[in-house]
Amino acid sequence: RDRFGTELGMRHDDNEQFGNENTFNGALGYQLDGDNQLVLSYSEGFRVPTFADLYWPFDGFYRGNPNLKPEKSRSYELQWRSQLSPSTRLETSLYRTDFQDLITTTSDWSTVDNINRARVNGFEATLKQELFGWHGDLGISIIDPRNRETGHNLPNRAKRTLNLNLDRQFGSIGVGASFTAVSSSYGNAANTSELPGYGVLDLRASWQTNSELAFDMKLANVLDKDYSRLLYQHNGQEDGYQETPASLMIGMTWSPQ
């Protein structure tokens, strides 16, 4: 059996304003044994500014920046994938992403600008488990996002994140829950404003009434947690954009045969 596997890719962007750009990606996999695999990968990114980034009209405080440059990145990642048992799977990764001309908001939130050099070092792990009919996955992410020119943390990027999902199917009815915990982060490029950490619990259910009709229900932010993921400034005062409070969403899917 061949223990090695490879993957190569290329993308070509032809942008009327910012010209042509080729980006490449590749991965090399090595099968240690039947249950364990190592994957080493490399990828490049190219992101042009949005229309709003460039030309948002002055609204009394914020305006776009027509002098923005495209953002470029290079990522390096080492993954370990392991089937610990028939019902347990573990995936971990170490990665580093280097940015050139990273697009981000300025320290006073008045516009967006490029950071010449930035990087994110990170570790991620996901544990998937099946037990007594329940399907669960636990994920953690630890990052060090850094402006390499100033040494400050990049804004709006929490260093630690935890996600827990639990689902089960009872015939035509499914139930599940998700919990997300996020550490504090800095709300601006100067690292003078801090966004508190938070935890959010969501519940969900689904019902497949027949082959054509299904209903879905989601209770978002069940504990009605008051939290913000982004800051803004108005009349010299800082405040946070409020995220969705406790809410109920119901959907219906009809797929006629």
Side-chain angles (χ1 to χ4, degrees), residues 37-220:
Q37 183 187 35
L38 291 177
V39 180
L40 181 64
S41 60
Y42 167 79
S43 62
E44 298 176 346
F46 177 72
R47 182 170 77 94
V48 299
T50 66
F51 184 84
D53 289 336
L54 294 165
Y55 305 117
W56 186 271
F58 184 62
D59 57 12
F61 177 74
Y62 177 87
R63 62 159 44 98
N65 180 359
N67 299 315
L68 283 175
K69 303 174 185 177
E71 175 185 299
K72 299 180 181 180
S73 63
R74 293 182 176 182
S75 297
Y76 314 84
E77 183 175 16
L78 175 63
Q79 300 178 62
W80 173 41
R81 304 169 182 173
S82 180
Q83 192 71 41
L84 301 177
S85 74
S87 61
T88 308
R89 182 171 179 82
L90 176 66
E91 298 182 1
T92 66
S93 69
L94 287 169
Y95 65 89
R96 177 188 177 100
T97 301
D98 292 304
F99 295 93
Q100 177 184 336
D101 296 320
L102 176 70
I103 299 171
T104 188
T105 54
T106 56
S107 294
D108 60 0
W109 302 289
S110 63
T111 188
V112 286
D113 205 354
N114 293 111
I115 295 176
N116 184 32
R117 294 189 310 138
R119 63 110 175 105
V120 176
N121 292 333
F123 168 78
E124 293 182 351
T126 302
L127 180 66
K128 300 180 180 181
Q129 176 72 51
E130 295 184 20
L131 187 65
F132 303 123
W134 290 90
H135 301 267
D137 63 79
L138 174 67
I140 61 170
S141 172
I142 302 172
I143 65 171
D144 181 23
R146 193 73 59 176
N147 181 331
R148 298 187 67 187
E149 295 182 312
T150 64
H152 292 157
N153 289 333
L154 296 174
N156 306 315
R157 294 179 187 243
K159 286 191 172 185
R160 298 176 301 279
T161 304
L162 180 144
N163 293 288
L164 175 63
N165 295 290
L166 195 61
D167 290 276
R168 183 166 182 180
Q169 197 72 28
F170 297 92
S172 61
I173 296 175
V175 295
S178 295
F179 178 74
T180 301
V182 179
S183 69
S184 62
S185 62
Y186 289 105
N188 63 358
N191 290 181
T192 57
S193 301
E194 188 170 329
L195 285 163
Y198 59 89
V200 177
L201 175 66
D202 298 331
L203 301 177
R204 55 185 170 272
S206 63
W207 178 31
Q208 187 75 43
T209 60
N210 54 47
S211 60
E212 297 183 347
L213 186 63
F215 293 91
D216 296 281
M217 181 182 71
K218 179 179 179 180
L219 289 168

Side-chain angles (χ1 to χ4, degrees), residues 9-24:
M10 187 196 82
R11 170 173 169 163
H12 175 76
D13 286 273
D14 184 3
N15 186 277
E16 184 176 309
Q17 183 171 357
F18 296 103
N20 299 320
E21 184 73 20
N22 293 322
T23 51
F24 301 88

Side-chain angles (χ1 to χ4, degrees), residues 219-225 243-248:
L219 289 168
N221 194 3
V222 175
L223 303 179
D224 200 23
K225 180 69 175 179
E243 295 295 325
T244 305
S247 57
L248 171 64

